């Protein structure tokens, strides 16, 4: 009887597939490197088992790395088994070549890299050509048994996957060509005075490094300049309130040469600042006030990059740590959907699943989350919205959300990340938070002082984060926002109770943290000077959500960057490159 060979990306996924298929396809027997029943053989790779290499006759070995032997442009690529996983490759190839195996199912991770892992194994098994057996694709969004069974009901055809396979192969060959030629050229250049100074270069790694180095150059070139701010306290009948001097005629300068340090509330001359202080001290002020309601919507659902940025900002997790935790919550605990996604929306037919997920969370016994899920269900918050459900914004995968399976036995770090995803998932369906923003201008002689009050009127989605109180308003600063302002009667004259000029210095731009570097990588297209290239890269960043963490870790491993607290600092080696 003919059988179907299912190749997963790693052993744990192969086991999940076997567990999911057993109720519908019958019991599997376990062998050394695969599971088998009368319909299916299920095996797995362990990540990449095969890599591309230049054919022997076209390659130049290490001792001859010189400009004379560059560029290395082989007419075709050969496949080479990766040494440490050779035995696993041989086992998978043996199964693929079995006479009773009539078709293959690619069950590697649903993304470009998973596509490449399978295609290279299949090509290797066929002796450099495809094996000639029909191929179908299992495309999973979540690892729950039901999701796996649904995936087997809706397998994708080889034709549907051809574009992704070609993109994967092109990316892999481009990486090889840029990496080999760039590394050998830079190594030859840095070794020109003798010795061997290995200088690695990468298609994504090097431009990412240049972003960090450019920022560091700006920091080093920065010369602190003195400026002054004038802070006053005004006495009204109902009490005191603070205010800060500003120039109402100030316009933010534009253009490339604009001074980024100029602000409406900064004075660059100490004498001018002190003169204003003396002029207004103890004087009466007239007050005008503008109050307007504003709303603030919750952020979108997470894709991998926004989750990594948030987890780095809140918990100090590195991008690599967040990816590992999200992968574990997806694979091991089956608690989150596929994490390596660049989409922040859900498919339009997902409303029913979302409601079921809210019901699961409301009944879950997770005391800090369940009440909010229940509130959303009771108030019918879960409705179709283009901001959340939009097919045009869903690529191969949708946003990261909880699955229908409540997790148990999570580590502390896993729990933190799970809570982060669930809170955002709940909050995105809640109404916007409503504020009353008061902007008060106190005019003393012809000097203007601004005071802003921002009061939370209805918490809306902020309640999910425990922000019931106005003091927790985002962006709140002492004596600025996030405060209830002392009321002033219409036409009331207030008095300048105290006033002082604070001497400060301009600061250089901040160093990148992983959170801000991930953001810069994601929006790297905007940094390109050439108009045509900028247009081409408009929606594209450096790397993909799945690879950005590894790129940053690679730069740290190669000693191009150092991590100090949350800051990433380029080394002398980085400046050399």
């Amino acid at each position: 009887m003919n059988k179907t060979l299912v190749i997963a990306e790693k052993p744990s996924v192969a086991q999940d597939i076997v567990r999911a298929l057993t109720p519908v396809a019958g019991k599997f027997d376990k062998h050394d490197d695969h599971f088998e029943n009368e319909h299916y053989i299920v095996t797995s790779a362990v990540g990449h088992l095969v890599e591309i290499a230049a054919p022997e006759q076209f390659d130049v070995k290490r001792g001859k790395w010189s400009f004379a032997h560059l560029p290395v442009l082989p007419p075709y690529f050969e496949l080479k088994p990766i040494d440490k996983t050779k035995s696993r490759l041989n086992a998978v190839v043996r199964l693929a070549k079995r006479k009773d195996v009539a078709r293959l199912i690619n069950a590697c991770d649903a993304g470009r890299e998973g596509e490449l892992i399978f295609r290279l194994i299949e090509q290797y098994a066929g002796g450099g050509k495809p094996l000639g057996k029909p191929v179908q694709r299992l495309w999973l969004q979540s690892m729950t048994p039901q999701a796996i069974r649904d995936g087997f009901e809706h397998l994708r055809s080889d034709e549907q996957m051809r574009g992704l396979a070609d993109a994967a192969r092109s990316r892999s060959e481009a990486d090889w060509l840029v990496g080999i030629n760039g590394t050998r050229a830079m190594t030859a250049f840095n070794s020109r005075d003798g010795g061997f100074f290995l200088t690695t270069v990468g298609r994504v790694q090097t431009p990412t490094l240049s972003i960090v180095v450019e920022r560091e150059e700006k920091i080093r070139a920065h010369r602190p300049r003195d400026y002054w701010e004038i802070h006053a306290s005004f006495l009204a009948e109902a009490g005191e309130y603070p205010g800060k001097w500003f120039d109402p005629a100030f316009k933010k300068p534009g253009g490339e040469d604009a001074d980024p340090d100029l602000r409406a509330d900064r004075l660059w001359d100490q004498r001018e600042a002190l003169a204003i202080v003396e002029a207004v001290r103890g004087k009466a002020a007239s007050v005008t006030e503008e109050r307007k309601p504003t709303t603030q919507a919750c952020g979108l659902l997470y894709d991998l990059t926004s989750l990594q940025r948030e987890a780095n900002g809140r918990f100090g997790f590195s991008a690599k740590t967040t990816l590992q935790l999200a992968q574990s919550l997806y694979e091991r605990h089956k608690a989150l959907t596929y994490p390596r996604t660049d989409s922040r929306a859900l498919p339009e037919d997902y409303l029913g699943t979302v409601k079921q997920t809210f019901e699961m969370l409301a009944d879950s016994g997770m005391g800090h989350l369940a009440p909010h899920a229940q509130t959303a269900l009771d108030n019918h918050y879960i409705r179709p919205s283009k901001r959340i459900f939009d097919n045009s914004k869903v690529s191969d995968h949708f946003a990261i959300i909880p699955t229908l399976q409540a997790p148990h036995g999570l580590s502390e770090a896993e729990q933190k990340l799970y809570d982060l995803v669930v809170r955002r998932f709940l909050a995105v369906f809640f109404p916007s938070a409503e504020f009353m923003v008061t902007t008060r201008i106190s005019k003393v002689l012809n000097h203007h002082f601004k005071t802003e009050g921002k009061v939370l009127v209805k918490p809306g989605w902020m309640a999910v984060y425990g922000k019931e109180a106005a003091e927790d308003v985002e962006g709140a600063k002492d004596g600025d926002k996030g405060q209830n302002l002392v009321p002033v009667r219409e036409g009331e004259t207030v008095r300048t109770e105290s006033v002082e000029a604070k001497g400060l210095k301009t600061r250089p731009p901040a160093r990148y943290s992983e959170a801000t570097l991930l953001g810069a990588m994601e929006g790297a297209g905007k940094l390109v000077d050439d108009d045509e290239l900028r247009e081409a890269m408009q929606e594209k960043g450096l790397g993909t959500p799945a690879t950005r963490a590894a790129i940053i870790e690679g730069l740290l491993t190669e000693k191009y960057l150092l991590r100090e607290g949350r800051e990433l600092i380029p080394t002398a080696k980085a400046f050399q490159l």
Side-chain angles (χ1 to χ4, degrees):
M1 183 179 170
N2 284 340
K3 297 189 177 186
T4 298
L5 174 64
V6 180
I7 301 177
E9 191 166 316
K10 34 188 123 39
S12 61
V13 178
Q15 287 174 331
D16 288 333
I17 290 171
V18 167
R19 276 190 215 108
L21 289 180
T22 299
V24 290
K27 188 175 176 302
F28 282 80
D29 295 322
K30 188 177 188 317
H31 300 267
D32 281 349
D33 39 43
H34 67 280
F35 300 86
E36 189 170 349
N37 70 8
E38 56 191 62
H39 303 289
Y40 292 102
I41 303 165
V42 180
T43 187
S44 78
V46 276
H48 278 283
L49 301 182
V50 184
E51 60 188 352
I52 59 171
E56 195 68 33
Q57 66 268 35
F58 298 109
D59 197 13
V60 176
K61 288 293 169 266
R62 188 177 196 157
K64 297 185 184 144
W65 283 18
S66 73
F67 288 108
H69 297 119
L70 291 173
V72 183
L73 298 171
Y76 61 92
F77 285 97
E78 283 184 347
L79 298 180
K80 193 174 107 208
I82 293 169
D83 287 340
K84 63 177 190 218
T85 52
K86 218 167 181 173
S87 60
R88 171 64 75 167
L89 175 65
N90 292 337
V92 175
V93 168
R94 199 168 55 246
L95 293 170
K97 286 182 167 174
R98 263 174 51 170
K99 293 273 189 293
D100 59 343
V101 168
R103 66 175 184 140
L104 308 179
I105 291 179
N106 173 4
C108 293
D109 279 5
R112 192 171 65 184
E113 214 52 35
E115 199 60 34
L116 187 66
I117 289 170
F118 174 84
R119 297 279 171 167
L120 294 182
I121 294 169
E122 187 210 7
Q123 187 184 335
Y124 183 81
K129 303 186 295 292
L131 199 54
K133 297 184 180 185
V135 172
Q136 287 176 293
R137 182 64 154 113
L138 176 68
W139 195 262
L140 296 178
Q141 300 282 14
S142 112
M143 290 291 294
T144 59
Q146 190 52 51
I148 293 172
R149 287 192 284 273
D150 290 346
F152 271 88
E153 291 288 313
H154 303 99
L155 292 169
R156 296 185 177 187
S157 70
D158 192 44
E159 203 49 52
Q160 280 174 282
M161 304 313 299
R162 190 58 47 81
L164 186 66
D166 290 346
R169 207 176 281 273
S170 304
R171 200 269 313 147
S172 157
E173 291 176 6
D175 275 359
W176 191 94
L177 290 166
V178 173
I180 292 288
N181 286 293
T183 298
R184 290 184 183 184
M186 290 309 296
T187 300
F189 181 74
N190 285 334
S191 309
R192 65 194 182 283
D193 299 326
F196 181 80
F197 295 98
L198 178 63
T199 311
T200 56
V201 169
R203 182 179 62 87
V204 177
Q205 169 190 309
T206 307
T208 302
L209 184 61
S210 90
I211 291 175
V212 183
V213 168
E214 216 168 278
R215 174 66 60 89
E216 192 67 24
E217 282 173 339
K218 281 184 185 162
I219 292 169
R220 290 182 183 184
H222 182 266
R223 297 285 167 267
R225 292 150 65 195
D226 293 325
Y227 69 92
W228 285 263
E229 288 181 353
I230 301 172
H231 293 259
S233 178
F234 297 96
L235 185 62
E237 284 173 16
E240 276 189 48
Y241 66 89
K244 188 177 179 186
W245 179 91
F246 77 104
D247 174 6
F250 176 82
K251 282 192 174 54
K252 199 173 172 65
E256 276 186 28
D257 301 327
D259 183 346
D261 290 327
L262 296 182
R263 306 265 200 290
D265 56 8
R266 289 182 176 180
L267 287 156
W268 299 91
D269 181 345
Q270 186 179 16
R271 279 177 312 196
E272 190 187 347
L274 293 174
I276 294 172
V277 168
E278 289 309 316
V280 303
R281 182 176 282 128
K283 296 283 192 303
S286 60
V287 178
T288 54
E289 198 165 86
E290 188 184 288
R291 293 173 60 131
K292 58 172 191 252
T294 62
T295 60
Q296 186 184 333
C298 173
L300 296 171
L301 294 167
Y302 290 119
D303 62 1
L304 179 59
T305 304
S306 55
L307 182 62
Q308 285 169 320
R309 291 178 68 179
E310 185 98 357
N312 181 250
R314 277 177 187 252
F315 313 127
F317 291 169
S318 71
K320 179 185 174 187
T321 300
T322 299
L323 177 55
Q324 285 171 339
L325 293 169
Q327 196 71 24
S328 165
L329 286 162
Y330 164 69
E331 260 174 33
R332 230 180 93 219
H333 299 288
K334 322 280 184 276
L336 291 184
T337 57
Y338 186 74
R340 294 165 186 256
T341 173
D342 60 358
S343 171
R344 302 189 70 177
L346 297 175
E348 286 162 23
D349 60 0
Y350 227 66
L351 190 67
T353 311
V354 166
K355 277 195 174 135
Q356 288 175 300
T357 312
F358 267 80
E359 284 158 8
M360 177 280 288
L361 290 166
D363 297 338
S364 67
M366 289 185 269
H368 56 305
L369 302 170
H372 301 301
Q374 195 58 55
T375 302
L377 290 166
D378 293 346
N379 293 297
H380 308 293
Y381 286 161
I382 306 138
R383 293 190 289 268
S385 151
K386 208 64 177 159
R387 194 166 177 264
I388 305 165
F389 302 97
D390 187 348
N391 288 348
S392 69
K393 296 206 173 104
V394 173
S395 53
D396 296 331
H397 298 284
F398 50 71
I400 304 170
I401 61 169
T403 63
L404 291 166
Q405 205 155 307
H408 299 286
L410 300 185
S411 69
E412 188 187 343
E414 285 169 340
Q415 188 69 52
K416 277 182 176 174
L417 199 72
Y418 180 74
D419 286 355
L420 198 60
V421 172
V422 174
R423 280 187 201 279
R424 176 61 60 91
F425 173 69
L426 294 170
V428 82
F429 289 96
F430 272 64
S432 295
E434 293 177 23
F435 297 94
M436 182 58 74
V437 176
T438 306
T439 305
R440 179 178 295 172
I441 309 291
S442 309
K443 189 176 172 193
V444 192
L445 305 173
N446 56 349
H447 299 293
H448 299 75
F449 291 79
K450 184 187 278 187
T451 313
E452 290 183 304
K454 187 175 182 182
V455 179
L456 189 58
V457 180
K458 284 187 183 163
W461 62 270
M462 286 189 171
V464 175
Y465 291 87
K467 292 198 170 173
E468 301 278 4
E471 289 79 69
D472 270 343
V473 175
E474 274 179 53
K477 295 192 286 294
D478 197 29
D480 182 18
K481 298 182 182 176
Q483 58 181 10
N484 279 303
L485 277 185
V486 167
V488 172
R489 278 186 302 100
E490 202 172 326
E492 183 185 341
T493 302
V494 299
R495 193 161 61 85
T496 314
E497 187 71 4
S498 63
V499 60
E500 64 165 332
K502 285 187 180 171
L504 300 159
K505 286 186 187 304
T506 59
R507 291 158 72 155
R511 283 202 174 102
Y512 282 109
S513 65
E514 287 206 29
T516 53
L517 183 56
L518 284 164
M521 289 174 80
E522 192 174 32
K526 301 186 189 85
L527 307 173
V528 179
D529 292 332
D530 183 294
D531 290 346
E532 206 174 319
L533 289 174
R534 188 166 59 245
E535 186 68 28
M537 270 191 78
Q538 195 173 11
E539 297 299 316
K540 298 279 173 280
L542 283 170
T544 65
T547 59
R548 285 179 191 133
I551 294 295
I552 295 173
E553 286 301 322
L555 289 167
L556 289 159
T557 307
E558 291 285 347
K559 301 281 185 286
Y560 283 121
L561 294 179
L562 295 174
R563 196 187 264 129
E564 266 188 30
R566 292 191 186 182
E567 291 185 337
L568 297 171
I569 303 169
T571 60
K573 185 179 173 185
F575 279 90
Q576 241 176 344
L577 176 59

